[in-house]
Amino acid sequence: MALWEATSGTWINLLAVAIGTAVGAALGSRISLDLAQQWRRWLGAVTLLLAVQMVQPLWQQRLGPFPAVLPALLAVVLGVSAGEALALERRLGAWLRRSGTPAPGASPHILAGTFVLFCLGPMTLVGCLRNGALGDPDLLLVKAGLDGISSALLAAGVGMALAWVLLPMALLQFALSGLGVLLAGGLSDPMGAPGVAFTAALGGLLVLSLALELLELPHPSSVNALPALLLGPLVGWGVQP
């Protein structure tokens, strides 16, 4: 797979954050809270649409006489149980608050928050793996839209200091896309491999959680559910198209 095909979503994501940061720093506080809320909700609607598309294979794949929704539910239950036991969301937030890198105009708390927003979560993990393994940047394109608007809103308060996040974003997302390429190595049709297709569809459930959060609706923790993606290939080993 060509370099651009495997990493196109990351390049566009980085460009969106860079442009958003520059625009936000230039506009300052002139972006109204009402407009920001409308942007967030419309991004939530688009993310919801994409999540629904991502989970469709769970109804088409089978585990014996049952749809793959059942092993997906098992993976999520086990993953969330592990995430809750490890207190992933709480520990991650605490660690990032302690380790935020100082930058002019931004507190460590803000820097930690931007790292979580732009670098972590199911859209980054699933999006980069899909881009690398399948050459499909769709999820990262939605993330780019979300990140571009979020960076504009944040940069309105902290200025160009927000641009620090571009470095960890690039390192993490290129590494994940490379991992996706390796996982798909030797497969003429990566999406045809049941384990890959099942895990990608399972990631759609985590993206659905994020969409509900953006729409300000009750939602489960997508961070605590991240271990489910590690269990995906194991739980879905017997799933067939």
Side-chain angles (χ1 to χ4, degrees):
M1 185 181 298
L3 176 63
W4 169 255
E5 188 178 1
T7 62
S8 57
T10 292
W11 287 110
I12 294 171
N13 197 177
L14 292 170
L15 180 62
V17 173
I19 293 175
T21 299
V23 170
L27 291 178
S29 59
R30 283 174 286 181
I31 300 176
S32 70
L33 292 177
D34 288 340
L35 179 59
Q37 186 178 54
Q38 288 297 317
W39 284 353
R40 177 186 174 94
R41 288 176 177 173
W42 276 110
L43 282 167
V46 173
T47 304
L48 177 62
L49 182 64
L50 182 60
V52 170
Q53 181 185 23
M54 288 179 66
V55 301
Q56 284 299 315
L58 294 178
W59 295 105
Q60 300 161 2
Q61 295 174 323
R62 313 291 297 182
L63 181 62
F66 305 106
V69 171
L70 294 181
L73 177 60
L74 175 62
V76 169
V77 168
L78 293 175
V80 169
S81 299
E84 287 286 347
L86 295 171
L88 286 183
E89 191 168 31
R90 178 177 59 80
R91 290 174 183 271
L92 181 61
W95 177 77
L96 289 170
R97 284 192 295 272
R98 289 195 304 268
S99 60
T101 304
S107 69
H109 175 72
I110 292 176
L111 294 175
T114 59
F115 182 79
V116 173
L117 180 63
F118 297 134
C119 301
L120 300 178
M123 292 188 82
T124 298
L125 181 59
V126 179
C128 290
L129 290 176
R130 284 176 65 89
N131 199 178
L134 311 173
D136 178 6
D138 286 357
L139 187 55
L140 285 181
L141 295 183
V142 174
K143 181 178 181 294
L146 172 63
D147 288 353
I149 292 175
S150 299
S151 61
L153 297 175
L154 289 168
V158 303
M160 289 301 296
L162 189 69
W164 82 276
V165 81
L166 291 170
L167 179 58
M169 270 186 70
L171 293 175
L172 179 64
Q173 293 193 194
F174 284 132
L176 287 172
S177 294
L179 178 60
V181 172
L182 292 176
L183 291 175
L187 298 175
S188 57
D189 178 16
M191 203 59 193
V196 175
F198 176 79
T199 304
L202 182 62
L205 293 177
L206 276 66
V207 175
L208 178 60
S209 171
L210 178 60
L212 295 176
E213 180 179 0
L214 291 171
L215 291 169
E216 301 174 2
L217 296 173
H219 60 279
S221 170
S222 57
V223 174
N224 281 339
L226 285 174
L229 296 179
L230 300 177
L231 297 171
L234 177 63
V235 175
W237 68 271
V239 171
Q240 298 295 327

